[in-house]
Amino acid sequence: MTGTGRWWHPHGTAGGHDYQVAITDDLHGWEHTSLRVATLAPAGRVDLATEDSEMIVVPLRGGSDVEVVDHTGVRHEVRLTGRASVFAGPTDVCYVPREARLTVRNPGGAEVVVALAGAKATKRSAPLPVRHLVATDVPVELRGAGTASREVRNFGTPQVLDADSIIACEVITPAGNWSSYPPHKHDEERDGVETELEEIYYFEVGAEGGTPVEGADPVAYHRVYGTPQRPIDVLAEVRSGDVVLVPHGWHGPAMAPPGYDLYYLNVMAGPGPTRAWLICDDPAHGWVRRSWAGQAVDPRLPMGEPR
């Protein structure tokens, strides 16, 4: 099956147990990455054994307390300050290695939402240490220009976080802009040119500028397409809590219609020996990058500041 139905999971259709999103290798054809999203009531918690995966705890709304017992039995406690929403700026995150026991708690009086981004940790001979990356240390990249301007928060990229396999970041696309563009792919191992990575997109969409509009239905769009040899065909109308999976093929654009800001969390990993995000553009559209040289970055970016 190559179409939208297999790879697009609308909000509420990919949950399990304590999670409203639970993408794991239980899904046929999915091997290297995982994503769990939990909504925690006051004093609520989730518990998880990382087993052969490493994870990054990413607060989406509110903060949380993270407790990790690593493979040696040492206990680590981290308080994540979090943020008011994904549009409010970068957040602090916690890296959790494989072979650990993880607990995430809501310490406050309001509901919080937290993502656990994961990847099979197969490249290192031993688990890495637990780490807390504070929000002010998250590099914010302004990528593209004009209507292709977007903000990338690189908390889990190879240049920022020492990890085994996982690559993770957040992207903010202001209303009316396109991101994940030009369409690109990373599904082959080609030394120094391209790395084989499957990818998860988790979306949230909100009214432009963060001001709710009565009766509005925040929506965005995402495209994935393949080749005759490896077909895939996804054109999804996405809303908050939706997930699109990219096992292979060209992906992009992610489109934010006028009136609606778009957020997505990307989680990537693959079987290759090198942890790197190396991509190639669709030859039909790669020329668009050259057009950015004469355009300004959207002045609405960056969106939000670290708390």
Side-chain angles (χ1 to χ4, degrees), residues 41-78:
R45 61 186 278 178
V46 290
D47 300 277
L48 188 67
T50 63
E51 299 180 338
D52 61 353
S53 292
E54 59 189 349
M55 295 187 178
I56 304 176
V57 183
V58 184
L60 301 177
R61 184 175 73 245
S64 57
D65 287 343
V66 178
E67 180 182 291
V68 181
V69 179
D70 68 22
H71 70 292
T72 68
V74 174
R75 185 182 304 274
H76 307 262
E77 295 182 352
V78 174

Side-chain angles (χ1 to χ4, degrees), residues 131-292:
R131 288 188 300 285
H132 178 202
L133 182 68
V134 299
T136 52
D137 288 341
V138 174
V140 175
E141 172 191 359
L142 300 186
R143 187 178 296 170
T147 56
S149 300
R150 61 273 204 185
E151 170 187 345
V152 185
R153 302 167 181 166
N154 289 309
F155 63 81
T157 54
Q159 296 78 14
V160 176
L161 180 71
D162 185 24
D164 183 296
S165 298
I166 193 169
I167 299 173
C169 65
E170 300 176 316
V171 179
I172 299 292
T173 309
N177 286 9
W178 288 27
S179 63
S180 199
Y181 192 75
H184 56 280
K185 75 179 184 72
H186 40 71
D187 60 10
E188 299 179 74
E189 284 292 327
R190 296 190 291 158
D191 189 32
V193 176
E194 185 179 354
T195 43
E196 182 182 352
L197 303 167
E198 66 180 20
E199 184 167 11
I200 299 171
Y201 280 73
Y202 167 83
F203 296 94
E204 294 202 8
V205 192
E208 183 175 6
T211 303
V213 177
E214 185 177 356
D217 180 19
V219 64
Y221 298 87
H222 186 62
R223 180 77 170 116
V224 185
Y225 58 99
T227 64
Q229 295 75 28
R230 302 184 74 187
I232 184 171
D233 185 8
V234 177
L235 178 56
E237 183 176 279
V238 296
R239 291 172 171 80
S240 291
D242 286 12
V243 173
V244 171
L245 304 179
V246 184
H248 56 83
W250 310 105
H251 45 288
M255 296 163 274
Y260 299 121
D261 295 326
L262 173 63
Y263 161 95
Y264 50 87
L265 170 64
N266 283 146
V267 187
M268 293 171 275
T274 303
R275 178 178 173 243
W277 184 66
L278 298 179
I279 67 170
C280 64
D281 290 335
D282 183 336
H285 306 295
W287 66 269
V288 172
R289 289 191 191 274
R290 299 193 296 274
S291 71
W292 297 341

